[in-house]
């Protein structure tokens, strides 16, 4: 009987332990399930800062494809960069997409970009795409345009009066007839200013060029829109603006045509990057994957607006054909140099060109 009682007692203890263990396992599983559910919920949204004209359409297509909700903050590049700097200690964004490799390089130099990810779409890069991809994979080029070309009003300018290269704009006959964008607001324009400075022989020589251009009556507006509207209305005869925006005005039958200067134009890439502290990292990776896909590039080419007039950097995703002459001379921007001098150049331009 004692042995029987001992067996019964041991069985009871074992049963109690199994029940307790099952209870603990259930609690643990519930905790894991709860945590996973929270993770899933977190990965079902992201915050997207963008200065691209096709951003809303691509965000909508991504939402439909993945079920991940995108909160889009759309603005010019300058204000977006200022917002990102203000949020540096507590970032609110996951993905950013705008023109100008120097702008992205500046963020990378501050440790603000996530580097431990290589989207599958990079395998489809063209030669230019491969060349413009930073070695540390901090950001990814998606499209390219000319940061600045010369537009002119066809009703006011005769063929015999056209400038052939950038230095021609300093001639007295063009006094008071030229407009351009503000590089502190317009992302593409910083690349234009930097590129023109390098063409003159360096930043000091470039500052001298713009000082002379200002003395020749240069007018400065915020961005491509107001600059080209003033050109179309005849308030100026010439304008320096992103070539994709000029091509758009031409396609809408405005009295505008384009000149690609003989010494070349700066190749401007649009670039996408992930916040190093992205609140929704996995969702951000998926969005960048989508951006570097033939599906997203096709969406970009179909929107109404200048940003659809880009060169695709993906072999499997052709862009619009025949919208630029084959004779364009393309000059590459050095993003490291551009990032190093960005603040100085923008401040100098504001104080000496915009405000004077």
């Amino acid at each position: 009987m004692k042995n029987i009682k001992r067996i019964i007692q041991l069985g009871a203890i074992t049963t109690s332990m199994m029940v307790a263990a099952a209870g603990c396992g259930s609690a643990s599983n519930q905790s894991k399930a709860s945590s996973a559910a929270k993770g899933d919920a977190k990965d079902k949204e992201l915050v997207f800062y963008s200065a691209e004209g096709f951003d809303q359409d691509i965000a909508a297509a991504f939402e439909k494809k993945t079920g991940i909700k995108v909160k889009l903050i759309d603005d010019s590049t300058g204000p977006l960069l200022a917002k990102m700097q203000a949020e540096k200690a507590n970032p609110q964004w996951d993905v950013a997409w705008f023109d100008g490799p120097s702008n992205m390089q500046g963020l990378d130099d501050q440790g603000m970009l996530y580097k431990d990810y290589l989207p599958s779409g990079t395998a489809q890069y063209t030669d230019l795409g491969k060349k413009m991809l930073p070695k540390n994979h901090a950001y990814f080029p998606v499209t390219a345009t000319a940061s600045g070309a010369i537009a002119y009003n066809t009703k006011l300018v005769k063929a015999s009066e056209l400038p052939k290269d950038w230095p021609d704009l300093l001639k007295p006959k063009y006094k008071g007839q030229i407009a351009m964008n503000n590089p502190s607001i317009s992302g593409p324009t910083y690349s234009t200013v930097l590129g023109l400075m390098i063409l003159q022989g360096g930043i000091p020589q470039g500052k001298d060029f713009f000082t002379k251009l200002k003395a020749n009556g240069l007018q400065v507006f915020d961005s491509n829109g107001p600059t080209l509207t003033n050109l179309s209305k005849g308030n100026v005869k010439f304008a320096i603006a992103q070539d994709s925006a000029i091509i758009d005005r031409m396609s809408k039958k405005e009295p505008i045509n384009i000149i690609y200067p003989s010494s070349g134009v700066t190749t401007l890439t649009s670039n996408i990057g992930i916040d190093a502290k992205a609140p929704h990292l996995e969702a951000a990776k998926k969005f960048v994957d989508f951006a570097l896909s033939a599906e997203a590039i096709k969406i970009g080419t179909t929107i109404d607006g200048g940003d659809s007039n880009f060169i695709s950097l993906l072999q499997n995703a052709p862009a619009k054909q025949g919208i630029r002459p084959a004779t364009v001379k393309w000059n590459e921007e050095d993003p490291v140099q551009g990032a190093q001098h960005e603040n100085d150049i923008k401040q100098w331009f504001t104080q000496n060109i915009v405000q004077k």
Side-chain angles (χ1 to χ4, degrees):
M1 286 292 293
K2 289 181 180 180
N3 288 338
I4 293 173
K5 286 182 180 180
R6 179 63 175 166
I7 292 170
I8 292 172
Q9 288 172 350
L10 287 172
I13 291 170
T14 302
T15 303
S16 297
M17 290 175 64
M18 291 175 63
V19 170
C24 289
S26 177
S28 175
N29 290 337
Q30 288 174 2
S31 176
K32 290 178 181 179
S34 176
S35 176
K38 288 179 181 178
D40 290 344
K42 188 176 181 181
D43 292 336
K44 289 297 182 182
E45 60 183 7
L46 66 87
V47 179
F48 175 33
Y49 286 7
S50 177
E52 301 296 336
F54 40 67
D55 47 28
Q56 186 171 1
D57 297 78
I58 289 179
F62 176 76
E63 279 192 359
K64 184 176 181 180
K65 186 181 186 72
T66 65
I68 298 173
K69 184 173 179 58
V70 179
K71 180 181 179 182
L72 171 63
I73 308 298
D74 184 285
D75 206 338
S76 296
T77 304
L80 283 178
L81 287 170
K83 182 175 174 62
M84 293 161 80
Q85 289 294 339
E87 298 172 354
K88 186 176 178 180
N90 184 28
Q92 303 299 306
W93 60 282
D94 296 294
V95 177
W97 191 353
F98 40 71
D99 291 340
S102 294
N103 294 320
M104 278 290 183
Q105 185 63 49
L107 296 176
D108 181 31
D109 290 345
Q110 298 175 69
M112 294 174 65
L113 298 179
Y114 184 79
K115 303 181 182 68
D116 298 327
Y117 185 64
L118 186 65
S120 59
T122 57
Q124 289 292 330
Y125 269 148
T126 62
D127 289 342
L128 178 58
K130 294 174 185 176
K131 189 179 295 185
M132 299 305 288
L133 175 68
K135 291 181 180 179
N136 66 354
H137 303 154
Y139 55 89
F140 308 98
V142 186
T143 65
T145 59
S147 68
I150 302 173
Y152 65 93
N153 187 305
T154 56
K155 291 183 178 180
L156 302 177
V157 181
K158 298 177 182 178
S160 59
E161 300 172 335
L162 296 177
K164 294 182 179 179
D165 203 1
W166 298 109
D168 292 342
L169 299 177
L170 301 180
K171 294 178 179 178
K173 67 178 180 179
Y174 299 123
K175 188 174 181 65
Q177 300 178 12
I178 305 165
M180 68 175 292
N181 308 337
N182 185 340
S184 291
I185 297 174
S186 168
T189 305
Y190 172 66
S191 293
T192 300
V193 171
L194 176 65
L196 281 172
M197 287 182 167
I198 300 306
L199 278 177
Q200 310 315 307
I203 292 174
Q205 298 91 327
K207 289 180 178 179
D208 182 63
F209 171 81
F210 280 103
T211 299
K212 291 176 179 176
L213 194 59
K214 178 66 175 180
N216 207 31
L218 175 69
Q219 299 180 48
V220 180
F221 301 96
D222 282 354
S223 57
N224 289 321
T227 296
L228 292 175
T229 296
N230 275 279
L231 175 66
S232 184
K233 290 181 176 179
N235 296 329
V236 291
K237 294 181 180 180
F238 300 91
I240 301 170
Q242 190 174 5
D243 78 330
S244 53
I246 300 171
I247 293 167
D248 180 57
R249 298 296 184 109
M250 291 165 59
S251 71
K252 294 175 179 175
K253 310 302 181 184
E254 293 189 27
I256 290 176
N257 208 339
I258 192 168
I259 301 166
Y260 287 93
S262 58
S263 60
V265 293
T266 301
T267 305
L268 178 79
T269 52
S270 79
N271 300 277
I272 192 165
I274 299 173
D275 187 346
K277 301 176 182 177
H280 312 99
L281 180 59
E282 295 307 314
K285 291 177 181 178
K286 291 177 182 178
F287 187 85
V288 172
D289 274 338
F290 184 70
L292 284 165
S293 71
E295 182 179 354
I297 294 297
K298 184 177 180 180
I299 292 169
T301 64
T302 59
I303 68 158
D304 180 26
D307 281 359
S308 67
N309 300 318
F310 55 75
I311 298 167
S312 172
L313 297 182
L314 300 179
Q315 299 178 55
N316 63 339
K320 293 180 181 179
Q321 302 296 306
I323 59 176
R324 292 174 179 84
T327 54
V328 177
K329 183 178 185 300
W330 297 92
N331 300 323
E332 291 178 19
E333 176 179 346
D334 180 347
V336 175
Q337 180 189 37
Q340 289 173 346
H341 296 283
E342 184 171 5
N343 289 335
D344 168 63
I345 289 174
K346 286 182 177 179
Q347 289 174 7
W348 178 88
F349 197 95
T350 297
Q351 294 168 1
N352 295 275
I353 307 300
V354 177
Q355 295 178 348
K356 284 191 176 180

